[in-house]
Amino acid sequence: MHQIITHSLKTKDKLRMAHHKRRIWSVYKLFLFSILGFLILSCNSKDSKKQLFKLVSSKDSSIDFQNTLSENDSVNILDFEFMFNGGGVAIGDIDNDGLQDIYFSGNQVLKVNYIVT
């Protein structure tokens, strides 16, 4: 009779553990779906239609800079892997006139400074 009671307690413990695992899994799924729903809803904000930048042609801006790269046996992506990332662009008031000037640097072309007047 002692064995029957012990076996019965073990079965109850197993059932409790299974129920506990199901509850934890349910809470975990609820948490994951809540996070997923939050991410989906946050991606569709009302301000997403607001345009931050506007494409301006080189004719309208008077800026005509191209960082043209020519690849050969001694200059290639295997030897100079970061060269193809491009040069750089800096914006600042270089001539202290209160207007922002634009400075372009290139890898194989001359650096250009556009002074805004």
Side-chain angles (χ1 to χ4, degrees):
M1 176 128 177
H2 187 283
Q3 287 180 339
I4 295 173
I5 294 173
T6 306
H7 178 66
S8 165
L9 288 175
K10 287 181 183 178
T11 305
K12 285 183 182 179
D13 288 339
K14 287 180 183 179
L15 289 174
R16 277 191 217 130
M17 287 298 292
H19 179 70
H20 182 68
K21 285 181 182 179
R22 281 194 304 267
R23 287 187 79 186
I24 289 175
W25 180 244
S26 297
V27 170
Y28 181 70
K29 286 192 299 188
L30 179 66
F31 175 73
L32 287 179
F33 284 122
S34 299
I35 295 292
L36 181 64
F38 173 75
L39 290 175
I40 289 172
L41 291 176
S42 66
C43 290
N44 295 326
S45 68
K46 295 176 185 174
D47 295 333
S48 64
K49 295 178 183 175
K50 183 179 175 184
Q51 186 175 359
L52 297 176
F53 297 98
K54 178 181 169 186
L55 182 62
V56 178
S57 70
S58 62
K59 186 173 102 178
D60 292 335
S61 66
S62 300
I63 295 176
D64 186 24
F65 177 81
Q66 293 181 359
N67 186 22
T68 306
L69 302 174
S70 60
E71 193 173 359
N72 56 37
D73 291 340
S74 61
V75 178
N76 56 51
I77 195 165
L78 297 175
D79 294 329
F80 300 100
E81 62 182 293
F82 297 113
M83 184 180 85
F84 291 89
N85 291 343
V89 178
I91 298 177
D93 186 12
I94 296 173
D95 56 357
N96 292 324
D97 63 353
L99 299 173
Q100 299 295 319
D101 304 313
I102 305 172
Y103 182 81
F104 291 96
S105 67
N107 298 66
Q108 295 176 337
V109 295
L110 293 176
K111 289 135 183 71
V112 178
N113 186 16
Y114 290 97
I115 306 286
V116 178
T117 55

